[in-house]
C-alpha cells in the first residue's frame, strides 16, 4: 500500500510494503518486501532497505545508507552521511552507514557517517553512535550517578 498523500517515485518496492502519508521516496531507492515506512519519512536515491524493515515517523534515509533485513528504526532517528557538511558543497564525500540484519535503533538516536551497526544490536533511545557497534551488542548511554539521583526525586 502506498498512501495517496505520499510521493513515491521508485518502482523498486517489494510486495506487501506499506508507505504511509507524507513520505518521499526518490526514484533509485530500493525497498524490500513486507516493510512499514511510517509517515513523514524521506528516502534518498542511493539507498537499499531490506525485507521486514520498520522505519518509524520522521526518519530521513540519505544516500549511501544500507539497511539489512528485519531492522527496526525508531522515530526521529537521524542518519548522517557526510563528516564535514558544508552548504552548496558539490564535492562532498558520502560515507555509508550500514545497519546489519536484526538491529534495532531507538528513538532520537543519531548515527554518524561511516558507522556499521552489527547484527542483532540494540541502540538505546537518544544514543549518539560515533563508531562501529559489534554484533549482539546493547549500546546505551552511560548515566552518571548525579543524573540518576536527580531523576529519581
Amino acid at each position: 500500500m502506498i498512501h495517496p498523500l505520499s510521493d513515491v517515485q521508485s518502482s523498486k518496492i517489494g510486495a506487501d510494503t506499506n508507505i504511509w502519508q507524507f513520505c518521499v521516496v526518490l526514484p533509485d531507492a530500493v525497498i524490500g518486501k513486507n516493510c512499514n515506512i511510517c509517515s513523514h519519512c524521506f528516502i534518498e536515491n542511493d539507498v537499499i532497505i531490506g525485507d521486514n524493515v520498520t522505519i518509524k515517523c520522521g526518519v530521513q534515509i540519505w544516500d549511501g545508507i544500507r539497511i539489512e533485513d528485519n531492522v527496526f528504526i525508531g522515530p526521529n532517528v537521524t542518519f548522517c552521511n557526510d563528516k564535514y557538511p558544508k552548504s552548496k558543497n558539490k564535492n562532498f564525500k558520502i560515507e555509508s552507514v550500514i545497519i546489519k540484519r536484526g538491529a534495532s535503533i531507538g528513538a532520537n538516536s543519531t548515527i554518524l557517517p561511516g558507522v556499521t551497526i552489527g547484527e542483532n544490536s540494540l541502540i538505546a533511545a537518544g544514543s549518539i553512535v560515533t563508531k562501529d557497534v559489534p554484533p549482539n551488542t546493547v549500546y546505551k548511554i552511560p548515566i552518571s550517578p548525579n543524573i540518576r539521583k536527580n531523576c529519581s526525586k
Side-chain angles (χ1 to χ4, degrees):
M1 183 279 306
I2 296 176
H3 195 282
L5 293 177
S6 63
D7 178 8
V8 177
Q9 302 165 26
S10 176
S11 61
K12 298 170 234 135
I13 298 171
D16 299 319
T17 285
N18 292 316
I19 300 177
W20 293 94
Q21 64 271 35
F22 312 120
C23 290
V24 175
V25 181
L26 295 186
D28 294 329
V30 177
I31 301 174
K33 64 182 186 219
N34 197 37
C35 294
N36 191 33
I37 313 297
C38 296
S39 68
H40 297 89
C41 289
F42 177 81
I43 300 173
E44 213 164 22
N45 276 305
D46 181 19
V47 168
I48 299 173
I49 298 171
D51 298 335
N52 306 308
V53 171
T54 296
I55 300 175
K56 299 304 274 183
C57 301
V59 176
Q60 297 82 41
I61 310 290
W62 306 111
D63 284 341
I65 295 175
R66 305 292 183 255
I67 300 172
E68 294 185 357
D69 298 342
N70 304 308
V71 167
F72 175 85
I73 308 290
N76 300 306
V77 167
T78 298
F79 291 97
C80 304
N81 67 355
D82 182 4
K83 280 189 181 168
Y84 307 101
K86 197 172 179 183
S87 180
K88 309 240 185 235
N89 179 9
K90 294 182 171 114
N91 298 315
F92 76 94
K93 179 182 179 241
I94 290 176
E95 294 195 43
S96 292
V97 171
I98 301 168
I99 312 301
K100 295 292 205 171
R101 170 185 295 272
S104 292
I105 302 176
N108 292 309
S109 293
T110 298
I111 314 301
L112 294 185
V115 167
T116 297
I117 295 177
E119 282 191 26
N120 303 310
S121 289
L122 173 63
I123 307 301
S127 296
I128 300 173
V129 181
T130 61
K131 58 185 178 180
D132 291 350
V133 175
N136 305 304
T137 299
V138 176
Y139 183 96
K140 58 187 177 181
I141 303 167
I143 298 177
S144 78
N146 290 336
I147 292 174
R148 200 173 284 126
K149 181 175 73 177
N150 292 334
C151 289
S152 62
K153 289 183 181 177

